[in-house]
mmCIF file with all atom_site columns, all heavy atoms in Angstrom:
data_model
loop_
_atom_site.group_PDB
_atom_site.id
_atom_site.type_symbol
_atom_site.label_atom_id
_atom_site.label_alt_id
_atom_site.label_comp_id
_atom_site.label_asym_id
_atom_site.label_entity_id
_atom_site.label_seq_id
_atom_site.pdbx_PDB_ins_code
_atom_site.Cartn_x
_atom_site.Cartn_y
_atom_site.Cartn_z
_atom_site.occupancy
_atom_site.B_iso_or_equiv
_atom_site.pdbx_formal_charge
_atom_site.auth_seq_id
_atom_site.auth_comp_id
_atom_site.auth_asym_id
_atom_site.auth_atom_id
_atom_site.pdbx_PDB_model_num
ATOM 1   N N   . ALA A 1 441 ? 186.889 149.834 52.860 1.00 0.00 ? 464 ALA A N   1
ATOM 2   C CA  . ALA A 1 441 ? 186.596 151.103 52.154 1.00 0.00 ? 464 ALA A CA  1
ATOM 3   C C   . ALA A 1 441 ? 185.181 151.090 51.590 1.00 0.00 ? 464 ALA A C   1
ATOM 4   O O   . ALA A 1 441 ? 184.732 150.050 51.109 1.00 0.00 ? 464 ALA A O   1
ATOM 5   C CB  . ALA A 1 441 ? 187.608 151.325 51.045 1.00 0.00 ? 464 ALA A CB  1
ATOM 6   N N   . PRO A 1 442 ? 184.477 152.218 51.626 1.00 0.00 ? 465 PRO A N   1
ATOM 7   C CA  . PRO A 1 442 ? 183.156 152.269 51.060 1.00 0.00 ? 465 PRO A CA  1
ATOM 8   C C   . PRO A 1 442 ? 183.162 151.937 49.563 1.00 0.00 ? 465 PRO A C   1
ATOM 9   O O   . PRO A 1 442 ? 184.024 152.419 48.846 1.00 0.00 ? 465 PRO A O   1
ATOM 10  C CB  . PRO A 1 442 ? 182.716 153.721 51.301 1.00 0.00 ? 465 PRO A CB  1
ATOM 11  C CG  . PRO A 1 442 ? 183.603 154.232 52.351 1.00 0.00 ? 465 PRO A CG  1
ATOM 12  C CD  . PRO A 1 442 ? 184.916 153.498 52.208 1.00 0.00 ? 465 PRO A CD  1
ATOM 13  N N   . ASN A 1 443 ? 182.201 151.105 49.119 1.00 0.00 ? 466 ASN A N   1
ATOM 14  C CA  . ASN A 1 443 ? 182.093 150.841 47.685 1.00 0.00 ? 466 ASN A CA  1
ATOM 15  C C   . ASN A 1 443 ? 180.852 151.523 47.096 1.00 0.00 ? 466 ASN A C   1
ATOM 16  O O   . ASN A 1 443 ? 180.563 151.366 45.903 1.00 0.00 ? 466 ASN A O   1
ATOM 17  C CB  . ASN A 1 443 ? 182.029 149.346 47.390 1.00 0.00 ? 466 ASN A CB  1
ATOM 18  C CG  . ASN A 1 443 ? 180.927 148.657 48.170 1.00 0.00 ? 466 ASN A CG  1
ATOM 19  O OD1 . ASN A 1 443 ? 180.018 149.307 48.679 1.00 0.00 ? 466 ASN A OD1 1
ATOM 20  N ND2 . ASN A 1 443 ? 181.005 147.335 48.292 1.00 0.00 ? 466 ASN A ND2 1
ATOM 21  N N   . SER A 1 444 ? 180.160 152.275 47.923 1.00 0.00 ? 467 SER A N   1
ATOM 22  C CA  . SER A 1 444 ? 179.052 153.072 47.481 1.00 0.00 ? 467 SER A CA  1
ATOM 23  C C   . SER A 1 444 ? 178.910 154.275 48.435 1.00 0.00 ? 467 SER A C   1
ATOM 24  O O   . SER A 1 444 ? 179.509 154.261 49.520 1.00 0.00 ? 467 SER A O   1
ATOM 25  C CB  . SER A 1 444 ? 177.740 152.265 47.440 1.00 0.00 ? 467 SER A CB  1
ATOM 26  O OG  . SER A 1 444 ? 177.409 151.809 48.733 1.00 0.00 ? 467 SER A OG  1
ATOM 27  N N   . PHE A 1 445 ? 178.124 155.238 48.060 1.00 0.00 ? 468 PHE A N   1
ATOM 28  C CA  . PHE A 1 445 ? 178.015 156.444 48.851 1.00 0.00 ? 468 PHE A CA  1
ATOM 29  C C   . PHE A 1 445 ? 176.569 156.857 49.008 1.00 0.00 ? 468 PHE A C   1
ATOM 30  O O   . PHE A 1 445 ? 175.712 156.556 48.128 1.00 0.00 ? 468 PHE A O   1
ATOM 31  C CB  . PHE A 1 445 ? 178.809 157.593 48.177 1.00 0.00 ? 468 PHE A CB  1
ATOM 32  C CG  . PHE A 1 445 ? 180.258 157.286 47.968 1.00 0.00 ? 468 PHE A CG  1
ATOM 33  C CD1 . PHE A 1 445 ? 180.714 156.783 46.744 1.00 0.00 ? 468 PHE A CD1 1
ATOM 34  C CD2 . PHE A 1 445 ? 181.154 157.442 49.001 1.00 0.00 ? 468 PHE A CD2 1
ATOM 35  C CE1 . PHE A 1 445 ? 182.045 156.455 46.553 1.00 0.00 ? 468 PHE A CE1 1
ATOM 36  C CE2 . PHE A 1 445 ? 182.500 157.128 48.826 1.00 0.00 ? 468 PHE A CE2 1
ATOM 37  C CZ  . PHE A 1 445 ? 182.937 156.618 47.592 1.00 0.00 ? 468 PHE A CZ  1
ATOM 38  N N   . ASP A 1 446 ? 176.264 157.531 50.089 1.00 0.00 ? 469 ASP A N   1
ATOM 39  C CA  . ASP A 1 446 ? 174.909 158.020 50.319 1.00 0.00 ? 469 ASP A CA  1
ATOM 40  C C   . ASP A 1 446 ? 174.516 158.939 49.146 1.00 0.00 ? 469 ASP A C   1
ATOM 41  O O   . ASP A 1 446 ? 175.226 159.883 48.815 1.00 0.00 ? 469 ASP A O   1
ATOM 42  C CB  . ASP A 1 446 ? 174.858 158.786 51.641 1.00 0.00 ? 469 ASP A CB  1
ATOM 43  C CG  . ASP A 1 446 ? 173.491 159.344 51.919 1.00 0.00 ? 469 ASP A CG  1
ATOM 44  O OD1 . ASP A 1 446 ? 172.644 158.589 52.379 1.00 0.00 ? 469 ASP A OD1 1
ATOM 45  O OD2 . ASP A 1 446 ? 173.307 160.556 51.689 1.00 0.00 ? 469 ASP A OD2 1
ATOM 46  N N   . GLU A 1 447 ? 173.376 158.631 48.536 1.00 0.00 ? 470 GLU A N   1
ATOM 47  C CA  . GLU A 1 447 ? 172.971 159.321 47.346 1.00 0.00 ? 470 GLU A CA  1
ATOM 48  C C   . GLU A 1 447 ? 172.776 160.824 47.543 1.00 0.00 ? 470 GLU A C   1
ATOM 49  O O   . GLU A 1 447 ? 173.188 161.655 46.749 1.00 0.00 ? 470 GLU A O   1
ATOM 50  C CB  . GLU A 1 447 ? 171.701 158.709 46.768 1.00 0.00 ? 470 GLU A CB  1
ATOM 51  C CG  . GLU A 1 447 ? 171.910 157.291 46.201 1.00 0.00 ? 470 GLU A CG  1
ATOM 52  C CD  . GLU A 1 447 ? 170.650 156.764 45.550 1.00 0.00 ? 470 GLU A CD  1
ATOM 53  O OE1 . GLU A 1 447 ? 169.683 157.546 45.437 1.00 0.00 ? 470 GLU A OE1 1
ATOM 54  O OE2 . GLU A 1 447 ? 170.655 155.593 45.173 1.00 0.00 ? 470 GLU A OE2 1
ATOM 55  N N   . LYS A 1 448 ? 172.111 161.175 48.661 1.00 0.00 ? 471 LYS A N   1
ATOM 56  C CA  . LYS A 1 448 ? 171.885 162.598 48.932 1.00 0.00 ? 471 LYS A CA  1
ATOM 57  C C   . LYS A 1 448 ? 173.195 163.326 49.166 1.00 0.00 ? 471 LYS A C   1
ATOM 58  O O   . LYS A 1 448 ? 173.380 164.457 48.687 1.00 0.00 ? 471 LYS A O   1
ATOM 59  C CB  . LYS A 1 448 ? 170.984 162.745 50.154 1.00 0.00 ? 471 LYS A CB  1
ATOM 60  C CG  . LYS A 1 448 ? 169.528 162.293 49.957 1.00 0.00 ? 471 LYS A CG  1
ATOM 61  C CD  . LYS A 1 448 ? 168.695 162.548 51.189 1.00 0.00 ? 471 LYS A CD  1
ATOM 62  C CE  . LYS A 1 448 ? 167.243 162.128 50.956 1.00 0.00 ? 471 LYS A CE  1
ATOM 63  N NZ  . LYS A 1 448 ? 166.429 162.349 52.156 1.00 0.00 ? 471 LYS A NZ  1
ATOM 64  N N   . ALA A 1 449 ? 174.114 162.672 49.870 1.00 0.00 ? 472 ALA A N   1
ATOM 65  C CA  . ALA A 1 449 ? 175.419 163.293 50.113 1.00 0.00 ? 472 ALA A CA  1
ATOM 66  C C   . ALA A 1 449 ? 176.196 163.445 48.809 1.00 0.00 ? 472 ALA A C   1
ATOM 67  O O   . ALA A 1 449 ? 176.883 164.468 48.612 1.00 0.00 ? 472 ALA A O   1
ATOM 68  C CB  . ALA A 1 449 ? 176.194 162.435 51.105 1.00 0.00 ? 472 ALA A CB  1
ATOM 69  N N   . LEU A 1 450 ? 176.096 162.445 47.946 1.00 0.00 ? 473 LEU A N   1
ATOM 70  C CA  . LEU A 1 450 ? 176.809 162.492 46.676 1.00 0.00 ? 473 LEU A CA  1
ATOM 71  C C   . LEU A 1 450 ? 176.302 163.656 45.800 1.00 0.00 ? 473 LEU A C   1
ATOM 72  O O   . LEU A 1 450 ? 177.089 164.378 45.183 1.00 0.00 ? 473 LEU A O   1
ATOM 73  C CB  . LEU A 1 450 ? 176.648 161.163 45.940 1.00 0.00 ? 473 LEU A CB  1
ATOM 74  C CG  . LEU A 1 450 ? 177.627 160.859 44.805 1.00 0.00 ? 473 LEU A CG  1
ATOM 75  C CD1 . LEU A 1 450 ? 179.065 160.850 45.316 1.00 0.00 ? 473 LEU A CD1 1
ATOM 76  C CD2 . LEU A 1 450 ? 177.283 159.524 44.157 1.00 0.00 ? 473 LEU A CD2 1
ATOM 77  N N   . LYS A 1 451 ? 174.975 163.828 45.758 1.00 0.00 ? 474 LYS A N   1
ATOM 78  C CA  . LYS A 1 451 ? 174.393 164.934 45.010 1.00 0.00 ? 474 LYS A CA  1
ATOM 79  C C   . LYS A 1 451 ? 174.827 166.284 45.611 1.00 0.00 ? 474 LYS A C   1
ATOM 80  O O   . LYS A 1 451 ? 174.980 167.257 44.872 1.00 0.00 ? 474 LYS A O   1
ATOM 81  C CB  . LYS A 1 451 ? 172.871 164.820 44.993 1.00 0.00 ? 474 LYS A CB  1
ATOM 82  C CG  . LYS A 1 451 ? 172.345 163.668 44.169 1.00 0.00 ? 474 LYS A CG  1
ATOM 83  C CD  . LYS A 1 451 ? 170.804 163.608 44.227 1.00 0.00 ? 474 LYS A CD  1
ATOM 84  C CE  . LYS A 1 451 ? 170.279 162.454 43.399 1.00 0.00 ? 474 LYS A CE  1
ATOM 85  N NZ  . LYS A 1 451 ? 168.787 162.361 43.476 1.00 0.00 ? 474 LYS A NZ  1
ATOM 86  N N   . ARG A 1 452 ? 174.970 166.278 46.906 1.00 0.00 ? 475 ARG A N   1
ATOM 87  C CA  . ARG A 1 452 ? 175.326 167.540 47.598 1.00 0.00 ? 475 ARG A CA  1
ATOM 88  C C   . ARG A 1 452 ? 176.693 168.071 47.227 1.00 0.00 ? 475 ARG A C   1
ATOM 89  O O   . ARG A 1 452 ? 176.896 169.265 47.155 1.00 0.00 ? 475 ARG A O   1
ATOM 90  C CB  . ARG A 1 452 ? 175.223 167.304 49.112 1.00 0.00 ? 475 ARG A CB  1
ATOM 91  C CG  . ARG A 1 452 ? 175.398 168.551 49.964 1.00 0.00 ? 475 ARG A CG  1
ATOM 92  C CD  . ARG A 1 452 ? 175.107 168.202 51.408 1.00 0.00 ? 475 ARG A CD  1
ATOM 93  N NE  . ARG A 1 452 ? 175.295 169.351 52.262 1.00 0.00 ? 475 ARG A NE  1
ATOM 94  C CZ  . ARG A 1 452 ? 175.080 169.336 53.574 1.00 0.00 ? 475 ARG A CZ  1
ATOM 95  N NH1 . ARG A 1 452 ? 174.612 168.245 54.169 1.00 0.00 ? 475 ARG A NH1 1
ATOM 96  N NH2 . ARG A 1 452 ? 175.272 170.433 54.300 1.00 0.00 ? 475 ARG A NH2 1
ATOM 97  N N   . ILE A 1 453 ? 177.631 167.146 46.946 1.00 0.00 ? 476 ILE A N   1
ATOM 98  C CA  . ILE A 1 453 ? 178.976 167.582 46.616 1.00 0.00 ? 476 ILE A CA  1
ATOM 99  C C   . ILE A 1 453 ? 179.273 167.578 45.118 1.00 0.00 ? 476 ILE A C   1
ATOM 100 O O   . ILE A 1 453 ? 180.363 167.980 44.689 1.00 0.00 ? 476 ILE A O   1
ATOM 101 C CB  . ILE A 1 453 ? 180.031 166.699 47.311 1.00 0.00 ? 476 ILE A CB  1
ATOM 102 C CG1 . ILE A 1 453 ? 180.016 165.279 46.707 1.00 0.00 ? 476 ILE A CG1 1
ATOM 103 C CG2 . ILE A 1 453 ? 179.819 166.644 48.835 1.00 0.00 ? 476 ILE A CG2 1
ATOM 104 C CD1 . ILE A 1 453 ? 181.259 164.491 46.994 1.00 0.00 ? 476 ILE A CD1 1
#
Side-chain angles (χ1 to χ4, degrees):
N466 56 17
S467 63
F468 303 95
D469 179 79
E470 291 185 6
K471 290 184 179 180
L473 197 60
K474 290 179 180 179
R475 187 172 178 178
I476 68 161

